[in-house]
Amino acid sequence: MFKKTKPLIIANWKMNPETEQEAKTIASDIKEGIKNIKGINTVICPPVIFIDSVKKTLGKTILLGAQDAFVGNGSSHTGEISLEMIKKTGAKYILVGHSERRETEDTEEEIREKVSGVLKSGLKAVLCIGENERSEHGDYYHEVKIQIISALTGLQKKYTKNLVIAYEPVWAIGNKDNTALNSESLYEMAIFIKKILNDIFGQEIAKNIPILYGGSVNKNNAKELMENGKVNGLLIGRESLKVQNFIEIIKKIKA
Ligand code: PGA
């Protein structure tokens, strides 16, 4: 059911850092720190305004992603950045439906349109899902199921090869104690997600869709989450901006 793949580590910089110079420095330090580590796909998603200079700093070894994209038609959309524009920067991944966007911006319907728009454009869509809370009753399973079904219903099978699922329990994202979900519960959720993907697309396709974990990943829990949680990679917020910690996470996963 779980296919072992090259780990995919995605850095979500959110609205950080403040300046282009800082972005370049962080990117160049990360590049230097992981230059001898092979066999891991690292992707950095900076604010769009920094993508170009971060890309120039990184060269080809580390891939770029965007944190969102506009998928509609036409150009009269003040403040938006189109998929085509993002594609031209060289970014290969787009986060879709991150919980911070679900809170204020993206509806389930928009998320469905974004997933399909991104995949049809040939870019990789990282669909973010995850429950708000974990109650004893287990209703979080239902919450996650609805999010997946709603985002992927109607998606043609031929577009699934660039689909990535990032399971990020919202309560674990950015939390003060930096406490992630434990790896046993992650494994259970990963099985559940695979089962839903099986139901929608069939086993052959479902087994190839990578599942990532995100939410308070740090250098102490990263390896265990990946190994015992049986996920294909991690989506990392705060710790991806702390260069030494991020490098250590990648080194530990490789070790
Ligand atoms: P965090 O954020 O690693 O800071 O908890 C993860 C995310 O928002 O993707």
Side-chain angles (χ1 to χ4, degrees):
M1 190 180 200
F2 288 92
K3 203 171 150 189
K4 214 161 160 47
T5 52
K6 216 181 197 188
L8 173 61
I9 308 299
I10 305 185
N12 177 12
W13 284 4
K14 308 192 180 185
M15 216 164 70
N16 302 291
E18 280 183 12
T19 66
E20 183 182 4
Q21 190 47 52
E22 283 174 272
K24 288 202 292 200
T25 307
I26 297 172
S28 127
D29 291 349
I30 290 176
K31 182 183 173 194
E32 181 58 28
I34 63 172
K35 69 171 191 253
N36 294 324
I37 303 173
K38 302 272 177 299
I40 294 204
N41 286 329
T42 307
V43 179
I44 296 183
C45 302
V48 163
I49 193 169
F50 300 145
I51 287 190
D52 200 39
S53 41
V54 168
K55 177 145 186 29
K56 286 191 182 111
T57 310
L58 292 174
K60 289 204 176 104
T61 44
I62 299 177
L63 295 171
L64 264 296
Q67 299 166 20
D68 183 45
F70 180 81
V71 297
N73 296 322
S75 59
S76 303
H77 301 286
T78 303
E80 298 289 1
I81 298 169
S82 76
L83 212 47
E84 284 311 310
M85 289 164 133
I86 290 173
K87 209 171 167 181
K88 283 188 186 124
T89 66
K92 301 276 184 248
Y93 287 76
I94 312 238
L95 305 183
V96 179
H98 187 281
S99 66
E100 286 155 13
R101 293 195 55 82
R102 285 180 189 262
E103 213 180 304
T104 53
E105 311 280 339
D106 294 351
T107 62
E108 298 278 2
E109 196 180 332
E110 281 161 342
I111 291 168
R112 175 164 58 244
E113 280 167 13
K114 285 185 186 186
V115 170
S116 119
V118 170
L119 293 173
K120 284 178 185 165
S121 80
L123 294 175
K124 293 189 186 278
V126 183
L127 170 65
C128 303
I129 49 153
E131 77 278 2
N132 279 306
E133 285 172 10
R134 279 214 156 199
S135 70
E136 288 163 12
H137 312 296
D139 4 352
Y140 48 88
Y141 278 110
H142 184 66
E143 208 178 328
V144 167
K145 181 175 178 179
I146 297 292
Q147 288 175 345
I148 300 176
I149 291 177
S150 155
L152 300 179
T153 298
L155 182 72
Q156 285 173 272
K157 288 183 182 176
K158 64 176 177 191
Y159 294 120
T160 52
K161 76 173 190 330
N162 282 332
L163 175 65
V164 177
I165 305 283
Y167 167 63
E168 298 200 292
V170 179
W171 53 267
I173 295 177
N175 83 21
K176 279 206 275 345
D177 334 316
N178 218 358
T179 316
L181 180 66
N182 64 65
S183 57
E184 294 76 33
S185 306
L186 175 58
Y187 182 45
E188 286 166 14
M189 183 55 88
I191 293 174
F192 181 70
I193 293 170
K194 277 279 157 171
K195 161 88 175 66
I196 301 167
L197 295 172
N198 268 339
D199 293 346
I200 304 177
F201 299 116
Q203 204 181 339
E204 264 320 291
I205 288 180
K207 74 167 194 260
N208 290 315
I209 300 176
I211 299 177
L212 315 184
Y213 169 81
S216 291
V217 172
N218 58 57
K219 58 186 180 184
N220 300 321
N221 61 23
K223 193 173 169 74
E224 200 204 322
L225 283 164
M226 282 226 29
E227 277 181 4
N228 298 345
K230 302 260 190 299
V231 287
N232 306 89
L234 302 167
L235 178 53
I236 309 177
R238 289 159 293 170
E239 298 299 301
S240 69
L241 287 146
K242 298 178 193 153
V243 174
Q244 288 317 319
N245 292 0
F246 189 62
I247 293 170
E248 214 172 305
I249 290 173
I250 292 185
K251 283 189 175 155
K252 283 192 172 164
I253 288 170
K254 190 60 201 163

